[in-house]
Amino acid sequence: MTRDDSTEQPRPDALPSPWSSHRFRLFFTARSTSLLADGMLMVSLTTAVLGAGYGAGGVGYALAAWMTPIALLVLFGGVLADRFTPQVMMVGADAVRMLAMLALAALLVTTDIRLWQIMALMALSGAATAMFQPGLASMIPQVAEDIQRANALLRISEAISTLIGPGLAGLLVAYWDVAGSYLAIAAAYALSALGLIPLRKLSTARDEGNDPIWQRLATGWQEFRSRSWLWGVIAVWAVYGLFVFGPSLPLGAALLTEQHGAGGFGWIASADGAGTIVGGLLGMRVRPRRPLVAGACAMFFFSLNPLAPALGWSFPVAAVTGMIAGCGFAFWGVMWATSVQSHIPLAVLSRVSAYDVAGSIMVIPLGRALSGPAAELAGADRVLLFSSGTGLVCIAVMLSIPAIRGLGRAPVAPAESPVPEMRNVETLTAPAPVTPGTADAAPSVQDDGATPSASGRDGVPVS
């Protein structure tokens, strides 16, 4: 299921645009509406909890209720996506999230909503998100031949949704009602499910073995740990999330608001979002021979994000650095997603992606929780200076790992080639010789003599 370096493949610039694929257009529409719902959710949740009189502490409890099931269940979501196909799991997850949002809207209209009710429904939504997220990586190679360009388009959509979602939720809350904003979120999840339903007939490499779920998890872990470029990035990313992503958002927002006012902070955040769009556009055009090296070099610029508030730079400089940081982060995201989707067998990709998501996001809440006490002890500016320096060191460490530096582009295989069903996923993972310089990067796997077909790989999301 991985691409064979010895097989002659079309040049990347000869591949058709993802837009030419009806399947990609459906997937893009579904993913965009889902991202829009996610972007609206935090504003709606905060407004609902504060309006019910539970204060900032209640918002924290509700967010924790949403994030905890994601962290605990995402690995199982990867196993189930490989077993029952990503399409089935994602449609089911969207349906559950839609029902949870409708229930919240109904409770807000009909009763004095209790905090435990909000937390229970947010936990249900979080569990559904854990079932939804791992399958994303497996879908992209099946709906687009040009995986990198598809990832870039999705990154741009994510940036636009992040910019529009909170504002749209704010407008609905201000001019309609907070319950109305939850109805809009439910409608967005419903549209996402409707866009994914026609994709249920995609040829998919299913793991139809009878192994227990723990054995399936172990298979995914073996695939993950057998590639040092993969776990090397995630190990570095966990440190990055704890010391850079964790403190940068709460402390950076506080300092930028203090320095430039709420309006100024809003414009700087918008500049960051615009930079993310630019990074996605660059990801569509730039095709480096060593994607992870190029992406990591772009991530050096993200250290400007915590540096600007730490040093109290002027508003124009802070806005420009925010744009540059957003651009670097988005470009890295495209390179990373494309690399994973191109080098991991499709039949285990959802499980491997689940380990990626779990390793990337689990430490960020801890970093955010510790950033407040650290700022009280040392000062927010010093904590952010430390974050900026740590970010530079982490990326340098990443680039020092030979397997990461040596990972090249995988040859591009047509997405239209049929994907046979797999009876036992463990038969897919036997390593075969790879070309010099890519050892440990991409074991080549054949499907019972069939020609190699496309394989594929995500903050997080949060990251």
Side-chain angles (χ1 to χ4, degrees):
M1 291 298 298
T2 54
R3 294 165 176 76
D4 185 350
D5 287 352
S6 65
T7 304
E8 183 178 353
Q9 302 291 354
R11 300 190 319 274
D13 56 3
L15 292 173
S17 166
W19 290 121
S20 64
S21 167
H22 177 64
R23 298 179 301 180
F24 177 77
R25 293 195 298 271
L26 283 172
F27 180 76
F28 181 87
T29 302
R31 183 64 182 136
S32 297
T33 54
S34 176
L35 287 167
L36 182 63
D38 293 343
M40 297 173 63
L41 184 57
M42 290 303 101
V43 171
S44 301
L45 176 64
T46 302
T47 305
V49 174
L50 294 178
Y54 296 108
V59 175
Y61 286 128
L63 284 174
W66 178 69
M67 294 186 68
T68 300
I70 297 175
L72 294 178
L73 300 177
V74 67
L75 295 180
F76 297 97
V79 170
L80 295 174
D82 282 335
R83 178 65 181 87
F84 298 108
T85 75
Q87 301 94 299
V88 170
M89 296 305 300
M90 292 168 71
V91 170
D94 275 334
V96 171
R97 294 193 290 186
M98 177 195 69
L99 292 174
M101 297 302 106
L102 288 175
L104 274 170
L107 288 171
L108 286 166
V109 169
T110 60
T111 66
D112 292 329
I113 194 167
R114 304 296 184 185
L115 182 59
W116 70 265
Q117 295 172 320
I118 297 175
M119 291 177 62
L121 289 170
M122 289 303 297
L124 180 62
S125 178
T129 299
M131 300 298 107
F132 181 96
Q133 200 69 27
L136 286 172
S138 302
M139 291 292 293
I140 295 172
Q142 298 181 77
V143 298
E145 296 184 50
D146 192 339
I147 296 175
Q148 179 175 324
R149 190 176 296 180
N151 279 308
L153 288 167
L154 291 168
R155 180 65 65 168
I156 293 170
S157 173
E158 180 180 350
I160 293 174
S161 298
T162 302
L163 287 172
I164 294 177
L168 178 58
L171 287 174
L172 289 171
V173 169
Y175 294 101
W176 188 10
D177 186 75
V178 65
S181 70
Y182 277 107
L183 289 175
I185 294 170
Y189 285 136
L191 287 174
S192 175
L194 290 174
L196 292 170
I197 287 174
L199 301 177
R200 68 188 184 281
K201 296 181 180 179
L202 281 176
S203 297
T204 305
R206 293 177 57 182
D207 173 13
E208 296 189 347
N210 295 319
D211 295 332
I213 193 168
W214 298 109
Q215 183 59 46
R216 296 171 190 269
L217 279 172
T219 300
W221 172 250
Q222 179 60 34
E223 291 288 338
F224 178 81
R225 67 182 291 270
S226 67
R227 295 167 173 82
S228 56
W229 64 268
L230 182 62
W231 62 257
V233 169
I234 297 304
V236 172
W237 209 245
V239 177
Y240 202 97
L242 180 64
F243 293 110
V244 184
F245 288 136
S248 292
L249 179 60
L251 300 185
L255 283 184
L256 288 172
T257 301
E258 180 182 317
Q259 294 162 2
H260 308 293
F265 169 65
W267 283 108
I268 292 170
S270 297
D272 184 283
T276 304
I277 296 173
V278 173
L281 292 172
L282 286 175
M284 293 179 64
R285 305 297 303 174
V286 180
R287 298 180 183 270
R289 291 183 60 188
R290 306 291 182 189
L292 294 186
V293 172
C297 289
M299 274 301 294
F300 276 121
F301 292 107
F302 190 81
S303 287
L304 294 171
N305 183 288
L307 190 63
L311 297 180
W313 286 345
S314 66
F315 170 76
V317 175
V320 171
T321 55
M323 177 176 288
I324 295 172
C327 179
F329 177 68
F331 186 77
W332 158 260
V334 174
M335 296 299 105
W336 171 247
T338 302
S339 296
V340 176
Q341 291 163 9
S342 301
H343 288 91
I344 306 297
L346 190 60
V348 293
L349 180 54
S350 294
R351 272 170 282 184
V352 172
S353 178
Y355 281 103
D356 171 11
V357 174
S360 299
I361 70 170
M362 289 181 71
V363 298
I364 293 178
L366 178 60
R368 291 179 178 172
L370 295 176
S371 63
E376 292 179 2
L377 288 173
D381 54 347
R382 292 183 179 180
V383 174
L384 290 177
L385 281 174
F386 176 79
S387 294
S388 181
T390 302
L392 295 174
V393 172
C394 285
I395 300 304
V397 169
M398 187 186 297
L399 289 172
S400 72
I401 300 173
I404 294 175
R405 292 200 313 274
L407 189 74
R409 297 187 60 83
V412 183
E416 298 294 335
S417 52
V419 182
E421 287 194 335
M422 303 301 161
R423 296 296 172 184
N424 188 346
V425 70
E426 294 188 10
T427 63
L428 296 175
T429 60
V434 294
T435 55
T438 59
D440 190 47
S444 178
V445 179
Q446 302 296 323
D447 305 332
D448 299 324
T451 55
S453 58
S455 64
R457 161 183 151 129
D458 348 28
V460 234
V462 215
S463 57

